[in-house]
């Protein structure tokens, strides 16, 4: 059974940093595409960062230069390092996985339960 469990969210001040983790089980991350998304109430889920099977990455324009996605296949874990956080980064953050490459589109089959990130000014 595929499971994704996010952790690392919390409350920080503007300019601060957080590192999110997504522990995967029930599948081998090396064989899946994975990405980070975020969502605020009343808005659509937004693709934040994507990592391809060759390690190449893609980011939403709003987070480029501040966020870094990485993956440790040995630990079956996906990470999102978030620096220079802004109040507009406040959202519930989700990791997603699928055997299909959905890039930053919210069409992945498997989702975690989310971890809340709150950035105060």
């Amino acid at each position: 059974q595929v499971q994704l469990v996010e952790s690392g969210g919390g409350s920080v001040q503007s300019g601060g940093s957080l590192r999110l983790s997504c522990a995967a089980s029930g599948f081998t991350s090396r064989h899946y595409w994975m990405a980070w998304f975020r969502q605020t109430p009343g808005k659509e889920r937004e693709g934040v960062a994507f990592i391809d099977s060759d390690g190449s990455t893609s980011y939403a324009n709003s987070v480029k230069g501040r966020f870094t996605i990485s993956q440790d296949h040995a630990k079956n874990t996906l990470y999102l390092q978030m620096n220079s956080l802004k109040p507009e980064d406040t959202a519930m953050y989700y990791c997603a996985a699928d055997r299909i490459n959905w890039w930053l589109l919210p069409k992945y089959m498997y989702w975690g339960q989310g971890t809340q990130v709150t950035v105060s000014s």
Side-chain angles (χ1 to χ4, degrees):
Q1 181 180 356
V2 172
Q3 277 196 320
L4 300 170
V5 180
E6 301 96 335
S7 61
S11 296
V12 295
Q13 290 193 326
S14 183
S17 297
L18 284 173
R19 188 193 194 203
L20 305 185
S21 299
C22 172
S25 60
F27 70 98
T28 302
S29 62
R30 186 183 307 277
H31 300 153
Y32 281 66
W33 278 277
M34 299 186 73
W36 285 99
F37 290 79
R38 65 186 181 188
Q39 190 171 24
T40 54
K43 291 190 175 181
E44 293 186 355
R45 195 163 291 188
E46 172 193 21
V48 173
F50 164 80
I51 186 162
D52 208 335
S53 56
D54 63 358
S56 59
T57 55
S58 299
Y59 298 93
N61 288 334
S62 57
V63 307
K64 274 182 185 176
R66 301 187 298 121
F67 289 13
T68 303
I69 187 172
S70 62
Q71 197 168 25
D72 186 335
H73 290 304
K75 295 183 178 180
N76 237 25
T77 300
L78 183 73
Y79 302 99
L80 185 67
Q81 178 67 44
M82 306 186 296
N83 298 329
S84 303
L85 283 162
K86 305 175 181 180
E88 51 264 43
D89 294 319
T90 296
M92 185 72 79
Y93 282 73
Y94 301 88
C95 67
D98 202 325
R99 294 188 71 106
I100 298 173
N101 180 354
W102 293 110
W103 189 57
L104 289 173
L105 298 175
K107 296 185 176 183
Y108 288 75
M109 177 170 291
Y110 303 106
W111 295 86
Q113 83 290 348
T115 185
Q116 178 68 37
V117 171
T118 303
V119 185
S120 58
S121 56

